[in-house]
């Protein structure tokens, strides 16, 4: 499977600005999926989200839509309680014209497994995500994390970690490659920051399903602009059959 490019957009107003809409339309050929990060909204209410989705789907360009609410515990701006967060995801599962929904992985996951089922019943694809902004765990811990994430039942498994050495980047890429071979789900592995840039550009080489880029401002450390990502990623696939 060819790695898909995800363009991240985190609006800070209750409606998308003309500039934000222009960026989406201008760079639509450079990405496959638009990620709408709703944790930056002043009021994260369903009416607001619905109106934003309508603004996006009204554009004369084609792509799939991912909605993500990133909690503060996972590096986002979201301040919802765990119960309110899961309730929000259940509501998002009922939205028309949304293709993907992100759900943050936690070790205690029975209730989250039910939310994943609701996402699937809503006809949407689920992305289980886990972030560590402090460090890169050992290869054994990363592989176990992918395995435990797979038990959630989500379609995609995404891990993003912070490297401090070149070896950390290699550790993440090895875990990604082995998870791709061992698990049935699509997997993504990101080594954040400047040090981990190769994990974004060479995601396809190591079996990763998604690579996230920015439409304007980066929403994660080391995130490249989607246009740059679209230009560079094919270089890592040139020798693949």
């Amino acid at each position: 499977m060819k790695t898909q490019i995800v363009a991240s957009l985190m609006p800070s107003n209750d409606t998308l600005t003309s500039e934000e809409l222009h960026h989406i339309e201008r760079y639509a050929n450079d990405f496959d999926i638009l990620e709408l990060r709703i944790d930056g909204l002043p009021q994260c209410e369903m009416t607001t989200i619905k109106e934003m989705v309508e603004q996006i789907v009204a554009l004369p360009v084609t792509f799939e839509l991912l909605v993500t609410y990133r909690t503060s515990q996972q590096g986002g701006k979201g301040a919802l309680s765990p119960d309110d967060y899961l309730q929000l995801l259940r509501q998002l599962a009922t939205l028309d014209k949304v293709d993907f929904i992100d759900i943050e992985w936690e070790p205690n996951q029975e209730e989250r497994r039910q939310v994943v089922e609701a996402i699937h019943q809503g006809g949407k694809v689920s992305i289980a995500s886990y972030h560590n902004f402090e460090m890169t765990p050992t290869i054994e811990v990363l592989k176990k994390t992918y395995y435990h994430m797979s038990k959630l039942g989500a379609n995609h498994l995404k891990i993003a970690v912070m490297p401090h050495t070149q070896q950390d980047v290699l550790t993440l890429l090895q875990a990604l490659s082995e998870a791709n071979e061992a698990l049935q789900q699509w997997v993504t592995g990101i080594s954040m920051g400047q040090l981990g840039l190769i994990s974004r550009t060479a995601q396809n080489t190591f079996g990763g399903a998604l690579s996230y880029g920015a439409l304007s401002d980066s929403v994660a450390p080391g995130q490249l602009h989607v246009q740059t990502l679209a230009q560079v990623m094919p270089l890592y696939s040139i020798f693949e059959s």
Side-chain angles (χ1 to χ4, degrees), residues 156-220:
H156 286 255
L157 313 175
K158 172 196 170 190
I159 290 179
V161 294
M162 185 63 71
H164 294 287
T165 65
Q166 292 175 334
Q167 184 58 49
D168 284 344
V169 180
L170 294 175
T171 296
L172 180 279
L173 292 174
Q174 181 182 349
L176 170 63
S177 178
E178 294 189 24
N180 175 57
E181 294 178 357
L183 301 174
Q184 293 186 339
Q185 290 97 334
W186 292 298
V187 292
T188 295
I190 299 169
S191 187
M192 294 184 281
Q194 288 293 116
L195 191 58
L197 279 181
I198 191 172
S199 70
R200 297 182 183 275
T201 56
Q203 188 72 201
N204 195 60
T205 303
F206 295 91
L210 305 172
S211 189
Y212 289 66
L215 269 179
S216 53
D217 298 329
S218 297
V219 300

Side-chain angles (χ1 to χ4, degrees), residues 14-52:
D14 287 335
T15 59
L16 293 176
T17 65
S18 57
E19 183 179 15
E20 287 169 333
L21 292 168
H22 172 70
H23 281 309
I24 296 172
E25 190 170 351
R26 177 180 178 183
Y27 298 110
N29 290 334
D30 296 315
F31 63 87
D32 306 288
I33 302 167
L34 177 69
E35 179 187 40
L36 181 62
R37 280 280 301 271
I38 59 175
D39 49 293
L41 297 178
Q43 299 293 328
C44 190
E45 299 176 350
M46 287 305 294
T47 53
T48 300
I49 299 166
K50 286 179 181 178
E51 289 173 2
M52 279 196 172

Side-chain angles (χ1 to χ4, degrees), residues 4 30 34 80 92 100 126 137-138 148 153 162-163 165:
Q4 293 182 293
D30 296 315
L34 177 69
L80 289 177
L92 292 176
F100 297 80
S126 56
T138 64
H148 290 304
M162 185 63 71
T165 65

Side-chain angles (χ1 to χ4, degrees), residues 47-207:
T47 53
T48 300
I49 299 166
K50 286 179 181 178
E51 289 173 2
M52 279 196 172
V53 170
E54 291 299 329
Q55 282 184 282
I56 291 169
V57 299
L59 294 171
V61 286
T62 303
F63 47 77
E64 293 184 292
L65 181 60
L66 158 66
V67 179
T68 299
Y69 181 95
R70 185 70 64 229
T71 67
S72 56
Q73 292 88 345
Q74 290 281 307
K77 295 185 177 182
L80 289 177
S81 69
D83 287 343
D84 288 342
Y85 165 67
L86 295 181
Q87 180 58 29
L88 173 65
L89 296 188
R90 290 181 183 275
Q91 292 177 309
L92 292 176
T94 67
L95 271 185
D96 291 334
K97 300 165 185 173
V98 171
D99 304 290
F100 297 80
I101 296 176
D102 181 284
I103 177 170
E104 295 174 352
W105 175 79
E106 294 284 351
N108 183 10
Q109 55 187 2
E110 181 52 43
E111 190 172 5
R112 290 174 189 253
R113 188 180 291 110
Q114 295 172 8
V115 175
V116 168
E117 291 175 359
I119 291 171
H120 295 167
Q121 288 170 3
K124 294 159 181 44
V125 178
S126 56
I127 301 176
S129 62
Y130 169 72
H131 300 75
N132 187 326
F133 286 86
E134 302 297 324
M135 59 172 289
T136 298
T138 64
I139 183 69
E140 291 80 11
V141 170
L142 285 172
K143 287 164 63 176
K144 285 181 181 178
T145 302
Y146 271 122
Y147 172 75
H148 290 304
M149 289 176 76
S150 73
K151 298 305 179 184
L152 185 61
N155 304 112
H156 286 255
L157 313 175
K158 172 196 170 190
I159 290 179
V161 294
M162 185 63 71
H164 294 287
T165 65
Q166 292 175 334
Q167 184 58 49
D168 284 344
V169 180
L170 294 175
T171 296
L172 180 279
L173 292 174
Q174 181 182 349
L176 170 63
S177 178
E178 294 189 24
N180 175 57
E181 294 178 357
L183 301 174
Q184 293 186 339
Q185 290 97 334
W186 292 298
V187 292
T188 295
I190 299 169
S191 187
M192 294 184 281
Q194 288 293 116
L195 191 58
L197 279 181
I198 191 172
S199 70
R200 297 182 183 275
T201 56
Q203 188 72 201
N204 195 60
T205 303
F206 295 91

